Amino acid sequence: MAPLPWDILWNRLIAVADEQAAALIRTALTPAVSEAGDLSAAVFDARGQMLAQAVTGTPGHINSMATAMVHFLDAYPHETLRPGDVLITNDPWLTAGHYHDITIVTPVFHRGRLVGYFGNCCHTADIGGRYFSADAREVYEEGVCIPISRLFVAGAPNEELLRFVRANVRVPDHVVGDLYAQAAANDVGARRLVETLDEFELDDLAELSREILDRSEAAMRDAIRALPDGDYAAEGEFDGFDKPIKLAVTLRVRGDEVLADYAGTSPAAERGINVVLNYTHAYTTYALKTALSPEIPNNSGSFRPVALTAPEGCILNCKRPSAVAARHIVGHFVPSLIFRALAEALPDRVLAESYDALWNAHWHGVRPDGQGFVLVVFNAGGMGARQGADGLSATSFPSGIHGFPVEAIEANAPVVYEARRLRPDSGGPGKWRGGLGQEFVVRPREGARVWLSPFFDRTVYPARGLFGGEPGAPGRFTLDGVEQHPKTTVELPPGSRAVVSLPGGGGYGDPRERDRALVERDVADGYITPEHARSRYGRR
Amino acid sequence: MPQRYRIGVDIGGTFTDVCLVGPDGRLAATAKVRTTPDDPSRAVVDGVRAVADGRGGDVGAVVHATTLITNAIVERRGGRVGLLVTRGFFDTLEIARQHRYDMYDLRLERPAPLVERALRREVDERVLFDGTVERPIDPAEVERLAKELADAGAEAIAICFLHPYANPSHERVAAEATARAAPGRPVSLSWRISGQIREYERMVTTVANAYVQPVAARYLDRLRRGLGAVTPGAGLTIMTSNGGVTGVEAALEAPVRLVESGPAAGALAAAADCAALGLPGLLSFDMGGTTAKACVIVRGPDGEIRPDVTPEIEVARIYRFTKGSGLPLQVPSVELIEIGAGGGSIAWIDRLGRLQVGPESAGAEPGPACYPSSSGAPRSDPDPTVTDADVVLGYVGVEAFLGGRMRLDAAAAERALAVRLGGDPLAAAVRVRTAIDEQMALAFRRHCAERGYDPAERPLYAFGGAGPVHACGVAELLGIRRVIVPPAAGVGSAIGLLSAPPRVDVARTHFLDVTGAGDWAPVDRAYDEMRAETLALLATAGVGAAEVRYEYAADLRFHGQAHQLTVILPAEAFEAASGRRVDLVVGAFERAYARVYGRIPPGVGVQALQWRLVARGATPEPPSHQVASGDAGGATRMRDAWFAGRLVHTPVYRREALPCGEAVAGPVLVEEDASTTVVPPGWRLTLLPTGHLDVVREKE
């Protein structure tokens, strides 16, 4: 028998997942998916192992979906599934960590047998409960939980489930429209997969899956082996909700395996910034992969040599009924923490700390004409500096989202942006400067009522530098000049003005070693002020 | 007026192609001259003089395509631009979309903006989303700022305020003030250049326009003068990205619309051939040395065959052709997919043992391993490329390359494949060949899927040096059963120019709840404006008002979606009573949506964002090709080539020697100066009277 053309087939699977994601981006009704790319799409083998993902989306979704699949298999073993069945859940502890992310899984049948799954996960327009915010004290306030269930049964919509969902959300047509879009995207992938299996006269994915996963695993093991055995530790403090929280990680590297141990991390918070272990896992594997082996495709094989443990009930392994809606704030700190731990060992492969926390702003309220509105806007601060290069300004990290045009925001919400600009002096000083944060100034339009739910952090604890690099500027949120809580919903009264200043990234290396020409250029460009150049870079 | 000669001129990276079509509509002469990068108009004038050959006075029209504009952006050789923006939005060009185009590469960089920070100024003015003026503009302030920019060295001024599509008055006032304060500098208004929502994309488009304006002005001026001496009575028109042609005045005002001029000409050539051959559509496939391009050619609602046009494109990508790593331009353009792989692409093995092809290319220098070095000395450890694999597999002959002017070294190709990819060179070549064909097929499949086309439903139209070599392999992977290779592919684009109609695309942003009780009056006003604007622009290309035909379209979406579909709408939707309008618009949208995505979400309203108008003059009769000689010379010789898992003794024809109209069964190879058509077993080749090679897969 001819050897399996596994590398050809591997590329096929990646292309299939891309096609699946493209279908979802173009048909989703919620702008978080269609405009900001807040989604993931992937193909799995019959054992639920992720073989390929779309080269789009955001790591929190992709990697948490990879670990979620086992729960679907437990709930619906092969023999219970038929062609046309589609599964759904938004259980935070099984999937992406909050109710707003809905995962849809479709089994694929070929020659009468279940050969794999397509899954995708994206942010829904609404999930009931409170408006999307960090305010809740228990997860039960944050909306409706859909346990793993059938969304379609043998091709027919599960009307009882849909009625139940419709009855619990504010914009039922949008929410259900998106569920259809998610199911349709999986169908696109499934059709293409079956065509490919037919073309290569394969009964199933088993042999291909072995090639892909074993090769990826081996490459990841090689990358880990290049690190000397030892414990690499880092910790950091963050704003939290009412009091600061501490995150701690020790990477225990032994041969070709690594265990990420989060012992020493603060207990869960009383409000909705807690992270489920699945989501912690997602950003742990993401960070290790970007630092160790960015070119290895992301799949279950490359996760195998990575294990993690976090104390039960800590903020990175919270338990029900901890509130979790804003879990990305804390979860997104994980990569910078891991980079800090690896900095001594891999100085040319890591970043100084970045703004990290996504800084999304959820708007809701009433337009002047009496109609309600909701809008989630993503915003990016500064990324950390690198060996040999400044950090990127106003660039999303670690998430993979896009920002929104101001014109589109003003078209969708009754607000006026007075400015959206880079923040001078916000990039952490260093031989290589941290990226600049951005600042936006917003007020409500006359006659509108407008609430803002902020998802902000690093307002007290900034993004730290590496190797003598200094921290970036912390973030700030003020209303008419008065400091606001960075995570509590607030109304913008008529005539008021909110200023949201995003953190800059940390610097890399001693700022006094920065090339003088670069300092002059930064002054000329206004990225730093002359005073900052004098006090931080020693410019005369 | 009597019929006169027409000339098409296409400037490429290496050659400038020129063709002359006689009053009888037949191709009368062609010329290929070396492109003159320091002053491209020189090669154009030389080429035109060569084909006109004393008939210059009888030439009525010169149609021209150029890559000058794209190259100016890619190579950053444009002018110094001054930019005026709304107060608070100084950094829009840098904040951009806030996106990392590669999720895993921590070393990535973002493309640098086209305007340096020292040449940007904020104007204290503000228009709101609905067109309300919140802060009136002060012309005196603009005059002061424009003067500062001019004094600081700005050669052209771009103006991009917020929401000008809702109320352009501030941009207009600023343009007048700028003209007073900085006379002689061209001014680009975002409302005129784009007119669409999304301030970053619109600003980049406006700035890019200003950036290339000095380059375009210098070039077009020289060209006009040069041609004036050779073809004194000829009108000059230029191909725009949308596959139409425009007059020089319009090109000078909006040169950014020429950004895809060259590729559009290639697509137009494919469309003209498609019509001439009586086919309903094509998938055009142009594979050169470093990249490959594909384009879907379809029959429009008016029955005319033309390339698909997209409202926005991205140019000058800085990272492996990755989406998001370039500059987005709101310029209606022939919709091409560009793949970073061609004949010169390097094959290598990655850390996981996977064979990869590209995106690195050996280029023309040093070129594939089989190319002789320019010094004549043996090359040490060259990279194996796609062309090397094609040589080892016997598809590309070592003697016939470039008409025999360059002898290829097959042994060097074998060595490079064996050294870098391991094992038997033949097996390595097969892997490279399989990988590159796969890569093309996957990219085309995705491109088609995103647009709701089945790639198998149209013949593949293959040109470029490597296109005919790989066409049947790619076709098999896509389920395509017919491949067409045009004659004289070398000057195909120049010929395509002569079949392009004058065309202008314009758009206005106006949000309308189509299914709600929206007010259509602003839409009617927008179309009144757009019709007047397009008439004026077409007049510069010599089109009279009576000849102009309009096509209406809108960008529509279900309420809440951020992505929209551009849907062509029946003209009567803009004349009918409002109730009927809603039905016509929603009906057209739902049909288009269902074709692309399948399911219609239940109970969701339809919203319009952009209103578009395409205005076109008459399409000229495409030139007819010379009928091939039909000299049945038979196969010139035999060569071993790889088919169906083994080396097969395969007949090799010179293209000129093919018998006309007689079917030849594959495997067979057809050589011409710049390419080889590879016909595998199971395919049948016929030379058509039009000079095209028609390769058809036999029924299984």
Side-chain angles (χ1 to χ4, degrees):
Chain A
M1 207 180 90
L4 187 75
W6 58 271
D7 52 354
I8 296 285
L9 281 160
W10 194 345
N11 283 336
R12 287 275 181 108
L13 287 186
I14 293 170
V16 165
D18 274 341
E19 218 176 284
Q20 176 196 8
L24 184 51
I25 287 170
R26 289 183 162 257
T27 54
L29 297 168
T30 168
V33 178
S34 50
E35 186 90 29
D38 195 8
L39 81 151
S40 68
V43 52
F44 300 81
D45 71 8
R47 292 186 297 154
Q49 303 191 84
M50 187 169 87
L51 299 180
Q53 64 162 81
V55 291
T56 176
T58 199
H61 284 167
I62 290 158
N63 293 359
S64 61
M65 193 163 67
T67 46
M69 194 56 76
V70 57
H71 304 299
F72 284 91
L73 269 73
D74 286 348
Y76 287 90
H78 284 194
E79 62 275 14
T80 64
L81 290 171
R82 285 173 295 166
D85 286 353
V86 177
L87 304 177
I88 178 173
T89 190
N90 70 340
D91 186 328
W93 279 269
L94 303 184
T95 50
H98 67 180
Y99 286 153
H100 278 83
D101 283 326
I102 298 184
T103 302
I104 302 284
V105 168
T106 305
V108 186
F109 291 84
H110 172 63
R111 299 182 179 169
R113 279 202 305 146
L114 194 160
V115 293
Y117 299 87
F118 280 85
N120 68 71
C121 173
C122 63
H123 193 101
T124 183
D126 186 69
I127 197 64
R130 290 171 168 271
Y131 280 100
F132 187 32
S133 77
D135 293 315
R137 292 175 188 276
E138 289 191 332
V139 71
Y140 303 110
E141 300 168 47
E142 295 181 328
V144 52
C145 183
I146 307 167
I148 297 180
S149 322
R150 273 188 270 227
L151 176 64
F152 286 81
V153 182
N158 180 350
E159 294 293 350
E160 288 180 358
L161 178 76
L162 288 174
R163 274 206 300 280
F164 174 79
V165 170
R166 281 180 172 276
N168 278 286
V169 300
R170 294 178 181 86
V171 282
D173 288 339
H174 279 58
V175 170
V176 172
D178 276 347
L179 297 180
Y180 272 76
Q182 286 183 266
N186 284 352
D187 291 348
V188 166
R191 264 199 310 276
R192 188 73 65 230
L193 176 63
V194 167
E195 284 173 19
T196 302
L197 292 173
D198 273 333
E199 181 186 336
F200 287 83
E201 296 176 359
L202 294 174
D203 287 333
D204 56 40
L205 288 167
E207 189 185 350
L208 177 62
S209 164
R210 227 172 7 255
E211 287 283 355
I212 291 174
L213 299 178
D214 290 354
R215 281 174 188 270
S216 305
E217 178 184 351
M220 189 67 188
R221 286 187 186 279
D222 286 347
I224 295 171
R225 206 177 294 113
L227 274 177
D229 277 9
D231 290 354
Y232 300 88
E235 53 182 57
E237 280 191 294
F238 305 93
D239 297 0
F241 194 93
D242 285 329
K243 55 176 190 260
I245 55 166
K246 188 174 103 175
L247 303 184
V249 68
T250 304
L251 300 170
R252 305 189 193 285
V253 176
R254 301 288 183 272
D256 59 4
E257 297 194 342
V258 55
L259 170 71
D261 181 349
Y262 290 95
T265 294
S266 298
E270 286 172 14
R271 301 295 189 104
I273 58 171
N274 300 298
V275 185
V276 304
L277 192 62
N278 235 4
Y279 197 75
T280 303
H281 184 271
Y283 276 101
T284 303
T285 48
Y286 170 71
L288 288 169
K289 183 176 142 49
T290 51
L292 291 171
S293 58
E295 73 285 11
I296 297 176
N298 200 47
N299 58 47
S300 291
S302 54
F303 301 159
R304 281 179 190 156
V306 178
L308 86 164
T309 172
E312 285 267 304
C314 82
I315 198 166
L316 291 175
N317 183 12
C318 72
K319 295 295 154 196
R320 215 180 287 269
S322 282
V324 293
R327 86 322 188 197
H328 48 281
I329 296 177
V330 174
H332 285 190
F333 289 129
V334 165
S336 279
L337 198 65
I338 288 181
F339 293 160
R340 173 164 292 275
L342 290 174
E344 288 294 340
L346 298 172
D348 58 339
R349 306 289 291 271
V350 298
L351 303 176
E353 291 180 354
S354 300
Y355 78 102
D356 291 332
L358 196 55
W359 280 70
N360 50 327
H362 188 94
W363 299 91
H364 72 267
V366 186
R367 293 176 207 278
D369 66 3
Q371 284 205 328
F373 75 93
V374 294
L375 183 69
V376 185
V377 178
F378 298 96
N379 305 287
M383 281 178 70
R386 308 158 276 184
Q387 190 180 83
D390 291 344
L392 300 177
S393 299
T395 301
S396 68
F397 183 87
S399 91
I401 53 84
H402 291 75
F404 283 32
V406 166
E407 289 176 342
I409 295 170
E410 294 185 355
N412 285 295
V415 296
V416 177
Y417 270 57
E418 290 188 354
R420 181 158 84 182
R421 56 167 87 96
L422 297 174
R423 290 176 72 196
D425 297 339
S426 64
K431 182 175 181 187
W432 303 102
R433 176 177 49 67
L436 273 54
Q438 63 170 303
E439 177 169 281
F440 54 92
V441 182
V442 198
R443 57 188 163 69
R445 277 196 77 163
E446 216 164 291
R449 294 203 65 186
V450 172
W451 282 265
L452 170 61
S453 301
F455 292 76
F456 306 157
D457 205 288
R458 290 208 195 278
T459 60
V460 177
Y461 297 93
R464 293 171 295 176
L466 281 178
F467 302 111
E470 294 177 23
R476 236 183 133 203
F477 170 31
T478 63
L479 191 56
D480 288 332
V482 178
E483 296 280 350
Q484 299 296 306
H485 192 284
K487 297 182 184 69
T488 293
T489 303
V490 60
E491 180 170 7
L492 275 57
S496 67
R497 176 180 281 106
V499 180
V500 177
S501 310
L502 277 77
Y508 189 111
D510 184 344
R512 296 192 182 244
E513 288 175 20
R514 184 167 176 82
D515 185 334
R516 295 292 100 181
L518 293 180
V519 174
E520 293 309 316
R521 189 201 64 187
D522 279 356
V523 172
D525 281 339
Y527 293 134
I528 61 176
T529 58
E531 165 51 27
H532 185 85
R534 193 185 57 73
S535 65
R536 318 307 281 275
Y537 290 95
R539 178 183 187 244
R540 279 188 287 274
Chain B
M1 196 173 79
Q3 285 286 325
R4 305 175 71 180
Y5 285 94
R6 293 187 297 145
I7 288 178
V9 186
D10 179 36
I11 303 186
T14 320
F15 291 107
T16 296
D17 299 328
V18 188
C19 70
L20 175 78
V21 170
D24 58 357
R26 284 178 176 258
L27 194 59
T30 64
K32 223 173 173 48
V33 294
R34 272 308 259 270
T35 296
T36 45
D38 58 311
D39 174 11
S41 65
R42 224 169 51 233
V44 175
V45 173
D46 288 351
V48 167
R49 185 179 288 116
V51 295
D53 192 22
R55 292 168 286 197
D58 297 329
V59 175
V62 175
V63 191
H64 176 36
T66 176
T67 50
L68 187 77
I69 302 300
T70 320
N71 291 347
I73 296 174
V74 171
E75 296 162 15
R76 299 296 169 111
R77 286 189 292 99
R80 293 189 75 199
V81 177
L83 172 64
L84 296 174
V85 299
T86 300
R87 192 171 76 173
F89 294 89
F90 185 91
D91 294 313
T92 298
L93 285 179
E94 279 162 87
I95 292 176
R97 296 185 282 201
Q98 308 177 46
H99 178 59
R100 281 179 302 136
Y101 45 80
D102 184 286
M103 203 192 299
Y104 298 106
D105 187 350
L106 299 177
R107 309 291 313 179
L108 63 80
E109 296 291 345
R110 289 177 31 178
L114 294 174
V115 182
E116 56 195 284
R117 292 175 68 83
L119 290 181
R120 299 182 212 161
R121 294 291 184 280
E122 293 186 348
V123 178
D124 189 10
E125 66 78 40
R126 188 65 148 88
V127 170
L128 300 184
F129 169 68
D130 56 6
T132 315
V133 171
E134 196 189 53
R135 285 184 75 81
I137 191 164
D138 173 9
E141 186 199 13
V142 179
E143 285 186 30
R144 180 173 58 75
L145 297 172
K147 182 153 188 332
E148 279 179 28
L149 291 175
D151 291 346
E155 296 170 75
I157 309 287
I159 299 174
C160 182
F161 297 152
L162 291 183
H163 304 302
Y165 37 82
N167 178 353
S169 65
H170 280 192
E171 287 197 358
R172 278 203 196 109
V173 168
E176 288 159 13
T178 302
R180 283 192 300 273
R185 283 168 186 78
V187 177
S188 299
L189 295 189
S190 85
W191 163 73
R192 296 274 295 166
I193 300 300
S194 150
Q196 296 174 54
I197 192 167
R198 290 170 182 271
E199 69 276 7
Y200 169 65
E201 286 81 354
R202 191 176 67 253
M203 197 181 287
V204 172
T205 310
T206 312
V207 158
N209 192 67
Y211 184 74
V212 298
Q213 232 160 6
V215 179
R218 272 194 299 275
Y219 169 68
L220 289 175
D221 182 53
R222 281 184 193 147
L223 183 66
R224 223 172 357 184
R225 276 188 286 133
L227 288 176
V230 194
T231 53
L236 173 62
T237 52
I238 299 157
M239 169 137 302
T240 43
S241 297
N242 59 11
V245 294
T246 190
V248 173
E249 295 312 318
L252 284 170
E253 193 198 318
V256 74
R257 291 191 184 139
L258 310 182
V259 73
E260 291 284 286
S261 175
L268 259 284
D273 261 6
C274 182
L277 294 168
L279 297 169
L282 289 172
L283 180 61
S284 93
F285 168 43
D286 172 7
M287 183 170 170
T290 51
T291 65
K293 298 185 192 79
C295 176
V296 180
I297 311 287
V298 289
R299 188 187 293 277
D302 56 357
E304 186 151 334
I305 288 177
R306 55 175 178 248
D308 260 359
V309 172
T310 174
E312 182 178 312
I313 53 157
E314 193 177 89
V315 299
R317 288 179 176 162
I318 59 169
Y319 188 91
R320 301 177 177 181
F321 298 88
T322 302
K323 206 178 203 166
S325 69
L327 298 174
L329 298 178
Q330 291 174 330
V331 172
S333 299
V334 163
E335 184 154 43
L336 296 154
I337 177 171
E338 189 168 12
I339 302 147
S345 294
I346 293 169
W348 53 288
I349 303 284
D350 75 5
R351 270 174 71 173
L352 284 82
R354 296 179 301 177
L355 183 91
Q356 306 275 3
V357 180
E360 302 304 320
S361 168
E365 191 63 42
C370 61
Y371 278 24
S373 69
S374 31
S375 67
R379 294 163 50 189
S380 69
D381 195 24
D383 291 312
T385 65
V386 170
T387 297
D388 293 310
D390 288 334
V391 166
V392 170
L393 295 172
Y395 300 145
V396 171
V398 294
E399 273 134 20
F401 203 72
L402 283 181
R405 292 192 297 279
M406 185 196 275
R407 200 190 147 79
L408 303 180
D409 183 350
E414 288 187 359
R415 270 196 308 278
L417 286 161
V419 168
R420 292 300 181 81
L421 308 182
D424 170 40
L426 194 59
V430 171
R431 283 182 75 192
V432 173
R433 167 81 183 189
T434 311
I436 186 77
D437 287 0
E438 267 290 319
Q439 197 174 335
M440 299 289 155
L442 286 178
F444 296 175
R445 186 181 285 285
R446 177 168 177 177
H447 180 78
C448 289
E450 284 177 1
R451 286 149 194 85
Y453 295 120
D454 176 358
E457 69 198 4
R458 291 175 184 77
L460 195 67
Y461 180 87
F463 58 110
V469 182
H470 291 265
C472 286
V474 173
E476 286 184 3
L477 290 167
L478 291 171
I480 295 174
R481 307 191 65 90
R482 187 174 183 192
V483 170
I484 291 163
V485 181
V491 295
S493 295
I495 294 172
L497 287 167
L498 297 177
S499 45
R503 165 172 171 156
V504 183
D505 295 33
V506 287
R508 293 279 189 280
T509 294
H510 174 73
F511 281 48
L512 180 72
D513 213 347
V514 175
T515 39
D519 178 10
W520 286 74
V523 177
D524 289 332
R525 274 198 303 278
Y527 274 114
D528 285 343
E529 272 178 29
M530 287 194 283
R531 277 187 294 259
E533 185 183 336
T534 51
L535 272 184
L537 284 169
L538 286 176
T540 71
V543 181
E547 294 173 62
V548 175
R549 281 173 304 144
Y550 293 109
E551 180 183 289
Y552 296 82
D555 295 359
L556 301 163
R557 65 184 183 188
F558 285 113
H559 202 87
Q561 286 178 318
H563 280 263
Q564 54 266 4
L565 270 184
T566 301
V567 179
I568 294 174
L569 302 172
E572 60 169 314
F574 299 92
E575 295 146 12
S578 60
R580 177 116 174 79
R581 286 175 154 189
V582 172
D583 291 345
L584 287 166
V585 172
V586 172
F589 174 59
E590 291 195 339
R591 276 191 301 279
Y593 193 91
R595 184 175 68 84
V596 180
Y597 305 123
R599 303 182 205 227
I600 305 275
V604 184
V606 175
Q607 192 182 36
L609 292 89
Q610 239 97 234
W611 301 89
R612 299 183 181 278
L613 183 69
V614 177
R616 291 189 296 156
T619 301
E621 199 59 33
S624 61
H625 289 294
Q626 290 166 300
V627 175
S629 68
D631 164 21
T636 44
R637 58 209 157 73
M638 305 289 278
R639 167 162 95 224
D640 281 352
W642 184 267
F643 290 110
R646 63 195 177 88
L647 284 173
V648 179
H649 212 47
T650 305
V652 183
Y653 287 83
R654 279 299 299 174
R655 183 162 180 160
E656 309 82 76
L658 271 177
C660 185
E662 207 174 291
V664 181
V668 59
L669 302 167
V670 181
E671 290 183 343
E672 58 194 291
D673 275 8
S675 190
T676 303
T677 301
V678 175
V679 183
W683 292 75
R684 202 176 61 242
L685 165 86
T686 311
L687 175 65
L688 301 179
T690 51
H692 296 76
L693 299 181
D694 187 10
V695 191
V696 178
R697 194 165 187 186
E698 303 190 50
K699 294 269 178 286
E700 274 140 20

